[in-house]
Amino acid sequence: MNDPLQKSLDEHLADLALDVPPPRNLWPVIARRLERRPRRARPLVFAAAAGVVGACMASALTWAVLHGRPGSPAAPLVARAPTAARAPTAAPAPSFDEPRNANYVAARDSLEVSFRERLALLDPATRAQIEASLAVIRQAHEDIRKALANDPACPVLEQLWQSTWHDELDLYERVVRGTQPTMTRT
């Protein structure tokens, strides 16, 4: 078992010389190989791609802001007939009244009832402030509606008009949500 011819790997490694100088100076060959490699332009390509993506995102965001919220309740209000169906002398006048869609009216009435019930739960000073805010929103809505009657093709006025509807409904929703009792575990 103790055969001197069968040394362990560790013993063989221990017998090797610790310092073995290379046969020649290898650094000049390594340096030449490093110099010959062209630098890759990938970081520049990635930076350019990131710039393009950023520009696309900014453009999409700008478009979304300028074209309003999708699915707004006021969107179907402005009646525009297709170009081929329009009479050359009399185009139908856009309607800037409240929507008459039964589902919209029912949902709005329901939300307003909940709003009124929850508003009664608030402190009188808070209630007065909310009522004043609602009056400002409704007055702005009416003022913009009158301005639209004079200039029905103005997209800025139409967007502001739709925005007042959103503001009023948002106010209703905030009051209803803010006065909901918190759920507790039992």
Side-chain angles (χ1 to χ4, degrees):
M1 265 198 147
N2 288 336
D3 186 11
L5 296 177
Q6 291 187 349
K7 290 184 177 179
S8 71
L9 179 61
D10 290 334
E11 291 172 344
H12 282 293
L13 289 174
D15 290 343
L16 293 175
L18 295 178
D19 285 331
V20 177
R24 64 180 195 273
N25 188 2
L26 297 177
W27 184 246
V29 175
I30 295 171
R32 269 184 295 191
R33 284 189 179 174
L34 289 176
E35 289 173 5
R36 277 192 278 164
R37 285 193 183 172
R39 291 194 171 224
R40 293 185 180 184
R42 291 202 190 258
L44 183 60
V45 170
F46 289 133
V52 169
V53 168
C56 289
M57 293 296 291
S59 297
L61 180 63
T62 302
W63 184 86
V65 168
L66 292 178
H67 287 86
R69 298 179 200 171
S72 63
L77 293 178
V78 180
R80 293 188 177 107
T83 310
R86 284 189 185 167
T89 56
S95 171
F96 296 108
D97 296 326
E98 293 288 323
R100 292 185 180 93
N101 180 308
N103 292 334
Y104 172 78
V105 172
R108 182 186 172 107
D109 289 345
S110 172
L111 183 60
E112 191 167 357
V113 167
S114 297
F115 165 76
R116 292 289 171 197
E117 290 171 355
R118 299 294 177 89
L119 189 63
L121 301 174
L122 295 174
D123 180 59
T126 305
R127 189 176 331 132
Q129 181 64 41
I130 291 172
E131 294 276 357
S133 296
L134 183 59
V136 168
I137 292 170
R138 287 181 174 167
Q139 185 60 49
H141 184 76
E142 184 59 25
D143 291 345
I144 294 168
R145 189 187 66 75
K146 288 177 183 175
L148 272 169
N150 294 332
D151 187 8
C154 181
V156 173
L157 286 174
E158 189 173 341
Q159 187 174 7
L160 288 171
W161 186 61
Q162 291 176 10
S163 176
T164 58
W165 261 331
H166 289 289
D167 291 343
E168 184 174 349
L169 293 176
D170 287 346
L171 180 66
Y172 290 166
E173 195 172 332
R174 285 184 187 139
V175 169
V176 169
R177 266 198 240 149
T179 56
Q180 284 181 348
T182 58
M183 299 180 111
T184 58
R185 293 184 186 181
T186 56

